[in-house]
Each structure stands twice: as structure tokens, then as C-alpha cells.
Amino acid sequence: MTAIATIRSLVITQIPLAPDMLIDRTLIEIAREFCTYTRAWRSSVAATVTAGTLGVALTPPTGGELVDVVKATLDGYPLTKKTQVQLDELIPKWRTQSSAGSYITKGDTLNEVLVAPLSSTTYTSGLTVRAAWKPALTATTLDDMLISNHSDALIDGVLGKLFGLPDKPWTSGGLASHYQASFEIKKDVARQQSTDGDMKGVVRKVRYGGL
């Protein structure tokens, strides 16, 4: 994991008057936005499905929160992603009806998924989830691969937001627009590169000019 202070030092070279706490908070907000939109921070986790218990708590990587399930298997068999609304339409009693699970959806609590219908069998470490994550608001580090692949995008996002703050010694509408536009382009590129399951069918946006 990469300390936030490492990225902060790169921002300070552009805005030396910005307070450390403001930079750190802005970086976390931008990283959360970036990861939610792109699904760029991913890892696989194993969890236990307990008979008669709908919710399964996933253990996130350090400083992470669940954004979405990319793909999942139960006892080696693939599960189909659905929303809870879709499951209500497909299997009205999926929350109470016990049978072999064939669907997965996000739960109602942090870092929770639901395997549907309700499982009648316990699968110890039998659920494997490829998940997308975002930094928690309390995170003090960021994923190494996220920084390695997307530090330029994150820095652009931070600079765009900080330069756009009103009535600061460093306020600059022109620089804010420049860095924000660059951040948006890099977000789209990162989203397009997310290809291992959850981004199928996404309309590709092509931006002209400034590339």
C-alpha cells in the first residue's frame, strides 16, 4: 500500500500553499470517485456461505470498501449478478427460500453480498468473489497497483478540485478546467480498460481534441 503522503508531495509541487489535510481529504474523495466509476481497484476474496444465512461479509483489502461484484463462483460454479429488484422479480421468495445459490447481489450493509436463493448448505470458504473496491473515507494508504497505473489521473483530479476552490490564494479557474478535463478523459480510459466481467455492454465514449 502507498501512503497518501507520497501522493500529497506531488500535489504540493503544484499548490505549495494548500494545507496537507485539505490535500489528503481531496485525494481520498477523488480516489473514491475514480474507483467507483472505473472499477479499477480489484482483488479476489474467499468467504463462507452459511446455511440459512443470506448475508456474506467480505473482507476488504486494507482501507477498502466494496463498490461492486465483478464476478463470483460458489463451490466452483459461476454465480450470475443481479440487483435485489431483479431478484424480487425472478424469485419472489429468494430471501427465505432455501436452495442451491445461483445469483449474487450487493447487500444492504458495508462490504456485504447476498447469495440467492437462501443457501441450504454451508460452503466453508466456498464463495470466491472478484470485487471492485474504493478507498474508505478513513483510509491512510492507497492500493499500490492503483497508484502505479493511475496516479496521473488521481493527481489531475485533485488539482482540478483544489484549483477550483473559491477564494483561495491558489484559486485558478483556467487551471481547474484544464486538470478536471484531463481527469475526466483518464477516467473514461480507465473504465474502458476494465474488461474482466463487469463492464460488458458499456457505451464507449470517444473524446476529440486535447488528446
Side-chain angles (χ1 to χ4, degrees), residues 153-164:
L154 298 178
I155 292 169
D156 283 351
V158 173
L159 291 175
K161 192 161 188 177
L162 290 178
F163 277 123

Side-chain angles (χ1 to χ4, degrees), residues 181 185 206-211:
I185 290 170
V206 179
R207 296 173 183 254
Y208 296 92
L211 293 179

Side-chain angles (χ1 to χ4, degrees), residues 10-22:
L10 301 176
V11 175
I12 287 176
T13 62
Q14 300 293 322
I15 312 180
L17 295 179
D20 289 356
M21 288 184 63
L22 177 61

Side-chain angles (χ1 to χ4, degrees), residues 2-156:
T2 301
I4 287 176
T6 302
I7 306 301
R8 182 205 308 148
S9 65
L10 301 176
V11 175
I12 287 176
T13 62
Q14 300 293 322
I15 312 180
L17 295 179
D20 289 356
M21 288 184 63
L22 177 61
I23 294 174
D24 293 355
R25 180 69 177 185
T26 303
L27 175 58
I28 289 296
E29 292 173 354
I30 290 297
R32 284 169 64 87
E33 175 187 342
F34 182 86
C35 291
T36 298
Y37 181 76
T38 66
R39 310 299 203 260
W41 180 15
R42 302 179 178 197
S43 68
S44 298
V45 295
T48 295
V49 174
T50 302
T53 301
L54 195 61
V56 179
L58 301 183
T59 301
T62 301
E65 291 179 4
L66 179 66
V67 172
D68 196 12
V69 173
V70 177
K71 56 186 175 182
T73 61
L74 181 62
D75 199 28
Y77 294 93
L79 299 177
T80 302
K81 281 177 53 181
K82 296 290 182 183
T83 66
Q84 292 193 35
V85 172
Q86 290 172 327
L87 286 174
D88 288 339
E89 296 172 352
L90 284 170
I91 314 170
K93 297 182 179 180
W94 64 273
R95 291 178 175 83
T96 56
Q97 174 182 305
S98 292
S99 66
S102 56
Y103 299 98
I104 191 166
T105 189
K106 281 188 66 178
D108 299 318
T109 61
L110 190 65
N111 302 322
E112 179 189 56
V113 295
L114 311 177
V115 175
L118 188 68
S119 179
S120 58
T121 304
T122 293
Y123 297 92
T124 303
S125 298
L127 176 66
T128 301
V129 178
R130 178 72 170 167
W133 311 96
K134 64 181 177 182
L137 287 172
T138 56
T140 57
T141 59
L142 295 175
D143 177 68
D144 288 337
M145 287 301 296
L146 179 68
I147 295 302
S148 176
N149 294 331
H150 303 293
S151 59
D152 287 350
L154 298 178
I155 292 169
D156 283 351

